[in-house]
Amino acid sequence: MGRGSGEVLSAYRSLLRATRKSFAGDTLMLTQSAAEVRRKFDENRNVTFETEINRLLDEAREASHFISTMIVQAKLNSRGGYGNHLKCLLPALHVRLPCPLFLK
């Protein structure tokens, strides 16, 4: 591994932790988000320019922060509605929001 490989691995692990936390209990989203994170990192595996690596690391950090703080995953309750016990920065929304990492 080249220069910054520890930082890249740290960003990768941070993204996976964020998805595991945000999508806990949702096997489909856990599987798909992990596959997408892996695909994005594999896609950029051969990037060698330091400025490009730094830009990609910044994007990964931003995506990790976004997933951890902005994604809301509502849980259907027994009455067919969604509970208000969501830990969320956007309490009025009861939907999953797209992650910038997955939009590219």
Side-chain angles (χ1 to χ4, degrees), residues 19-20 22-35 73 75 96:
T19 60
R20 281 194 305 266
S22 293
F23 302 125
D26 186 339
T27 306
L28 178 63
M29 282 304 295
L30 284 169
T31 303
Q32 288 182 343
S33 61
Q73 188 166 31
K75 301 219 187 277
R96 291 185 196 133

Side-chain angles (χ1 to χ4, degrees), residues 3 7 9 16 23 29 46 49 65 68 73 84 87:
R3 183 212 163 280
E7 204 173 351
L9 187 56
L16 291 180
F23 302 125
M29 282 304 295
N46 296 318
F49 294 109
H65 177 73
S68 296
Q73 188 166 31
N84 347 349
K87 178 184 170 202

Side-chain angles (χ1 to χ4, degrees), residues 54-71:
N54 289 334
R55 184 188 65 76
L56 290 166
L57 285 170
D58 287 342
E59 284 183 12
R61 286 185 204 101
E62 180 183 333
S64 180
H65 177 73
F66 184 91
I67 291 167
S68 296
T69 60
M70 301 297 281
I71 289 186

Side-chain angles (χ1 to χ4, degrees), residues 6-101:
E7 204 173 351
V8 172
L9 187 56
S10 177
Y12 178 76
R13 288 178 176 163
S14 177
L15 269 166
L16 291 180
R17 274 192 303 275
T19 60
R20 281 194 305 266
K21 177 183 168 196
S22 293
F23 302 125
D26 186 339
T27 306
L28 178 63
M29 282 304 295
L30 284 169
T31 303
Q32 288 182 343
S33 61
E36 181 65 11
V37 169
R38 175 63 183 251
R39 187 184 69 75
K40 292 301 271 184
F41 274 77
D42 280 345
E43 190 177 280
N44 294 294
R45 178 181 297 273
N46 296 318
V47 173
T48 57
F49 294 109
E50 189 171 345
T51 54
E52 182 69 4
I53 291 169
N54 289 334
R55 184 188 65 76
L56 290 166
L57 285 170
D58 287 342
E59 284 183 12
R61 286 185 204 101
E62 180 183 333
S64 180
H65 177 73
F66 184 91
I67 291 167
S68 296
T69 60
M70 301 297 281
I71 289 186
V72 178
Q73 188 166 31
K75 301 219 187 277
L76 188 63
N77 64 29
S78 59
R79 297 175 304 198
Y82 295 94
N84 347 349
H85 59 282
L86 298 172
K87 178 184 170 202
C88 158
L89 294 178
L90 303 171
L93 298 178
H94 297 279
V95 296
R96 291 185 196 133
L97 299 175
C99 168
L101 174 73

